[in-house]
Amino acid sequence: MKITALRLHNVRRFAGRGVAIEGIDDGVNVLSAANEHGKSTSFEALQALFFQSHSGAGKEVKRLQPYSGGNPLVEADIVMPEGRFRLTKQFIGGKRATVTELGSGRLVAQQDEAEQFIAELVRGGASGPAGLLWVRQGVTGIEERSRSDEEGERRVRESLLTSVQGEVEAVTGGRRMSAIMEACTEELGHIATPTLRPKAGGPYAAAVDELERLRAAEAKLKREVDDLRTALDRRAEAARRLAELEAADEIAARRAAVTRAEAAIQQARSHGEALRTREAEAALAKSRFDAAEKELADYRAFLARVRTLGSEFADAAQRRDALRGRRAECQATIDAAAAEAKLAEAEQREASSLLARLDAAMRARQAAEILQGRRDRLAQAEALRRTLEAAEAALALVVLPADAVDRLQKLEIDIARLRAAEAASLPSVRIDYDEGVAPSVLADGAPLAGGEDRSVADRLMLTLPGIGAMTLRSNRKAGEGEALAKAEAKRSELLASIGVADLVAAQRRQAEARTKAGEAERLRIQLDHLAPEGLPGLREEIARLEAAAPEAIEVKGDPDAAREALARADRRVATARNAEREAGPALSRVHEAATEVEASFASMSGEMSRLDALLGLEPDRAGREHDLAAVQAERQATFEILDREVAALRERAPDLSSVEAALQRARSAESAATGEAGRLREVLAGLNGQIRTQSDEAVEETWQEAKEALEVAEARVGAFETETAVLNRLKTALQDSRSAARDLYLQPVLTELRPLLEMLFDDVAVTFDEKTLLPQAISRNGQKEDIDRLSGGMREQLSILTRLAFARLLARDGRAAPVILDDALVYSDDDRIETMFDALHRQARDQQIIVFSCRQRAFSRLGGNVLHMVDWQP
């Protein structure tokens, strides 16, 4: 089979239009175009034509449908030894499949017969030879894929090699080898799993379970024997320790240690109390001494200050008199400048008043203009608001709940699915009239058309002219169809709640609501632009402007002349004020100096009065100083005596923390010994009970019996392990023998692959996996490498060459199929890709190869028959 043309209409990105690829010839054919041009769409359409039923509704079929909907149509012209044919399929709606002979135009087959015709071409569907040779974009065939895809292609390769090379059984010993392997596998399967684990329910598993049970029992008995021996040792140790603790001399020694520690801590506390008393008395004496010493020092300082204060008082009186004369002179100068400034300010006020009246008249005119502008904006905004309210009201009439259309669409899908399921489960009737015979059978009184299946939902009466009437009944069980009825009821209820007739009307309402919502949003934006703070804010602003708007003022005068007069007055005032300011600092300095002198004079007077009050009368001052010195000396002597006593007590004081620690240790030792003795008595009671119980049960004799039974069970499990290992070794040897023979089995594909490999690689040999019949590793330069460790480019090149080798074997076996590559060479470098082009041309001498690629520049060097997409109308 060879493909000569491919046409598709309303497929994926080609919504509502058709394209065709004409003139596909023998050898290499290349369609090179940019991404999103439709190459992968064409590949998937061709896959659907050959591998998908026209009546199917699976995801592969639904992927052909554009987002806008419609019925995908795919058509291909092919050439076979029997002639030239056109294959056509339409999916989803108006489903049909036809095969037409191009020479005569005769309809060869349609519907199911056409599907059978196409199935014969590919022999096995997607898992047949065409599925093996048609390479989807991004798939090399070597990477890990689903088990079903890998198993399907493995069967194709195995079938192909068998037909070319002959039965592998003849090489590996015939059916006797299979019989031996089956017997070995069956025997091994009785006792073990494929992973050589004991098989559940088998004798091996039962022996292992018994062994585990005996091991657990023996371990339990051993623990009990160990526990008994441990309990005896613990009882002896506890009895010895209890005797030590309860010895009379030990108890007396612990009690004596506590008594000594209590007496020592009592003595330490008494000494500490005496020390604290002396420390308090010494602190009081020190405080009284410090007070007397300070009082004497203050009194002597006051006497010295009185002697220096007399001369300072006379100097201050002289400075005060001089400053009073200077202050009078400065004040006269300032008074003259102030009088001049007063006259100039009167002139300034008159000129400023005239200019202010002129400015107020101008501001009144500007305020009136602003107020009128705000009123105009308010009128526009109110009109726009009325329009917006009308738009929102219209929107409210057509708006639908947020998820109503989605829920309605889901219900429509559920109803269609339920109807399809119900129709598929119902019996049907069909009649095919002879050619030229008009429909004469009536179904429920209406003519029954020929060539159509009619479902019988409940009851159907057929009127057969000249024969009689026939009644067909479906006899459906009660309750069938309830799901469909409930779904239709929910749809009716939802349609009634939103007030539409059907899904299309709801979608129209939704579109209308979107339009009205957009119009309302546009009006809302305009309104926000006119009144950013809202209509109430704009009205408030107008009210404020109206309240603050000044009355219109009519004032005659020249503003420029008024400003000139005001400037002259300002200069005169400034001159007078400057003169006043010039005299001001001198007066300020005089005032400051006078104030300072007056303050100093008053301060010295106050200080003199205070010192006289503190020192007393001048004749008594020397006697008071002598008395203060005597008190200070007496208090110093008292403090020094108490301080020496405190130092002596502190030096003899015992360490209270150490004494308390010794008492705590003695008490804790006594308490710990008492507690330990009590616990040891409890432990002895428990151990006596445990030993008595286990001695009565004879656990040591039972343990010996369990050990003997365990040895027997271990021997039985060992026998099963030996048998399993022997059977597995035999099975492995048989498989190795068959694997050695498989090299001859793979010789045809290796023969086809070798010249292709030599075109790309030097000294490279390929090893195939005997299970998958795919390349597993390569050997080059004496080193072996796994396929999955090779670069992406080398893996895709090896994949393409392997497919070309299988394609040659298919052609030799009489099952030639086109090799179709959809962007299969994306990782190859420039040198390798040109060598791959040569390999494609080498294999295309008696093979059709179709290449789709987005690498226009690189594939321009491929040569071959260049294909183009053209518009097409079915």
Side-chain angles (χ1 to χ4, degrees), residues 79 262 276 311 365 381 471 516 592 643 648 691 705 713 731:
V79 175
E262 289 175 345
R276 284 191 294 273
S311 59
R365 287 193 296 271
T471 301
K516 292 185 179 299
E592 290 174 0
D643 188 53
I691 292 168
E705 294 174 358
K731 182 179 177 181

Side-chain angles (χ1 to χ4, degrees), residues 203-251:
Y204 186 8
V208 171
D209 293 341
E210 178 66 14
L211 176 61
E212 294 300 326
R213 186 188 67 77
L214 290 173
R215 279 177 177 167
E218 187 270 340
K220 179 176 179 296
L221 289 169
K222 185 177 184 302
R223 286 194 300 271
E224 291 178 357
V225 171
D226 293 341
D227 291 343
L228 177 58
R229 293 171 179 172
T230 302
L232 290 169
D233 295 339
R234 288 180 61 199
R235 184 176 66 175
E237 179 64 24
R240 183 190 60 78
R241 177 59 179 162
L242 181 60
E244 292 176 356
L245 293 173
E246 291 184 339
D249 55 346
E250 288 292 329
I251 295 174

Side-chain angles (χ1 to χ4, degrees), residues 206 406 486 535 711 721 755 772 804:
D406 293 338
K486 288 180 181 178
L535 292 179
E711 292 174 357
E721 289 176 347
T772 64
L804 291 175

Side-chain angles (χ1 to χ4, degrees), residues 420-694:
E422 182 180 22
S425 65
L426 292 175
S428 61
V429 63
R430 173 185 175 134
I431 187 170
D432 293 313
Y433 296 101
D434 291 339
E435 188 173 355
V437 176
S440 57
V441 177
L442 303 180
D444 288 339
L448 179 63
E452 296 180 357
D453 291 332
R454 177 165 177 175
S455 299
V456 180
D458 187 15
R459 174 181 174 278
L460 181 68
M461 177 175 286
L462 299 178
T463 303
L464 307 175
I467 299 176
M470 176 186 294
T471 301
L472 303 179
R473 293 184 177 87
S474 64
N475 293 327
R476 289 194 297 171
K477 296 179 180 179
E480 291 186 0
E482 287 184 2
L484 177 59
K486 288 180 181 178
E488 290 176 341
K490 286 176 66 177
R491 179 183 63 181
S492 301
E493 181 181 350
L494 180 58
L495 290 173
S497 67
I498 61 179
V500 296
D502 52 22
L503 175 61
V504 176
Q507 291 171 337
R508 291 199 190 99
R509 276 270 299 274
Q510 189 180 46
E512 184 181 357
R514 288 197 191 97
T515 302
K516 292 185 179 299
E519 178 63 21
E521 183 64 22
R522 183 184 63 79
L523 293 172
R524 195 174 292 108
I525 293 172
Q526 292 180 0
L527 181 59
D528 291 342
H529 178 71
L530 286 174
E533 303 298 329
L535 292 179
L538 186 57
R539 293 191 185 98
E540 289 178 4
E541 183 181 3
I542 292 173
R544 286 195 302 271
L545 291 174
E546 289 175 345
E551 297 181 358
I553 301 174
E554 293 294 333
V555 180
K556 295 182 179 180
D558 184 4
D560 294 334
R563 289 189 184 91
E564 180 63 29
L566 179 61
R568 288 195 302 271
D570 289 341
R571 288 193 295 272
R572 184 178 174 187
V573 170
T575 302
R577 291 301 181 192
N578 288 335
E580 187 177 0
R581 291 189 189 94
E582 287 178 2
L587 181 61
S588 297
R589 284 193 296 274
V590 171
H591 274 304
E592 290 174 0
T595 301
E596 183 180 351
V597 169
E598 291 290 347
S600 176
F601 192 81
S603 174
M604 285 186 290
S605 297
E607 186 178 3
M608 182 69 74
S609 299
R610 182 178 62 83
L611 290 174
D612 288 340
L614 290 172
L615 295 174
L617 297 177
E618 187 173 357
D620 299 335
R621 291 175 182 175
R624 188 178 179 190
E625 181 181 3
H626 181 269
D627 294 341
L628 291 173
V631 171
Q632 185 262 349
E634 179 186 358
R635 291 182 179 178
Q636 182 178 7
T638 302
F639 164 68
E640 290 175 351
I641 291 170
L642 290 173
D643 188 53
R644 286 193 295 271
E645 291 179 358
V646 168
L649 287 172
R650 188 177 289 120
E651 186 177 356
R652 295 195 305 270
D655 186 359
L656 183 60
S657 298
S658 299
V659 175
E660 289 176 345
L663 176 60
Q664 182 180 4
R665 178 188 60 77
R667 285 175 175 172
S668 63
E670 184 180 34
S671 176
T674 303
E676 185 180 0
R679 288 194 298 273
L680 286 172
R681 292 190 192 95
E682 295 175 1
V683 170
L684 284 172
L687 291 173
N688 287 331
Q690 178 184 351
I691 292 168
R692 188 179 302 110
T693 300
Q694 291 182 331

Side-chain angles (χ1 to χ4, degrees), residues 689-707:
Q690 178 184 351
I691 292 168
R692 188 179 302 110
T693 300
Q694 291 182 331
S695 297
D696 294 341
E697 294 176 354
V699 293
E700 292 189 349
E701 291 79 357
T702 307
W703 176 45
Q704 291 297 330
E705 294 174 358
K707 287 174 63 178

